[in-house]
Amino acid sequence: MSSTVLTISERSNIESGSWFSKLSLPLRNDILSRAVVKRVPDGTMLSCRGEPAEEWVGVAKGAVRISSVSLAGKQVSLTYVEPGTWFGDISLFDGMPRTHDAAAHGETTLLVVRKPDFKALLQHHTELYEALLRLNCRRLRLMFDAVEDLNTRPLAARLAKQILLLARSYGIAQGEEIRIGLQLAQEDLAQLLGASRQRVNQELKGFERDGAVRVEPTRLVVLSKEKLLAIAGR
């Protein structure tokens, strides 16, 4: 399903994105003029590992689940691309196939730039090269942070940090509480942390006892950012 225009909130998500908002106005306008708006339902496969890269994509609403398949044939979530974030440029640069599967998580709105238009943007805006270099440097730093956390920090600290990140990206303030809008099962959360669902469940129960979060079916509610920050810093 596609539509020619973004809603006000969808456009706001794109324009306020930490990377996109720093581009020059002519480049931002050219990207938006070349992009096609697509609205897809939950679970829609956007690309598969091994496929040739044909699109550069920005998320305007919802989320995109990036996943891989384990040796046992199980789909494993690696990350969720949040609104305001662009992805898919690496394979367009190096000409190699997609490295992971990508699927819509919840009802999702995308801005899709086809490969020829992406190449044209690079030709007309040399600024885009440096901007994408900065974007990929940030991704690399985040990857190194994640590897370091996995090898040096206890699960409780990593879980608290992940919940804070989810609250920042998908949080909906309700009084003093912050409800995380992204629906995640505990198994999905465990996959993001490289842990078992049982261990994540145990830690979440401890967070509840401490008054840091409330666990609801497929939802997490942050009760105290301060307590989560304290746990994340251990």
Side-chain angles (χ1 to χ4, degrees), residues 71-83:
L71 293 176
K74 180 181 179 181
Q75 201 78 17
V76 178
S77 300
L78 301 176
T79 190
Y80 290 84
V81 184
E82 65 191 54

Side-chain angles (χ1 to χ4, degrees), residues 42 61-63 105-107 159 163 166-167 169-172 174 177-189 200-201 204-205 207-208 212-223:
D42 178 41
K61 173 190 172 184
H105 186 78
E107 293 186 357
L159 177 57
I163 294 172
L166 291 170
S169 301
Y170 298 98
I172 303 168
Q174 297 180 336
E177 300 179 352
I178 302 174
R179 179 179 295 273
I180 296 175
L182 186 68
Q183 293 189 22
L184 285 182
Q186 289 188 20
E187 178 65 26
D188 296 321
L189 196 55
V200 167
N201 179 263
L204 286 174
K205 287 180 179 178
F207 290 6
E208 279 195 298
V213 302
R214 183 172 68 251
V215 180
E216 298 179 354
T218 72
R219 301 281 187 182
L220 284 173
V221 180
V222 175
L223 304 179

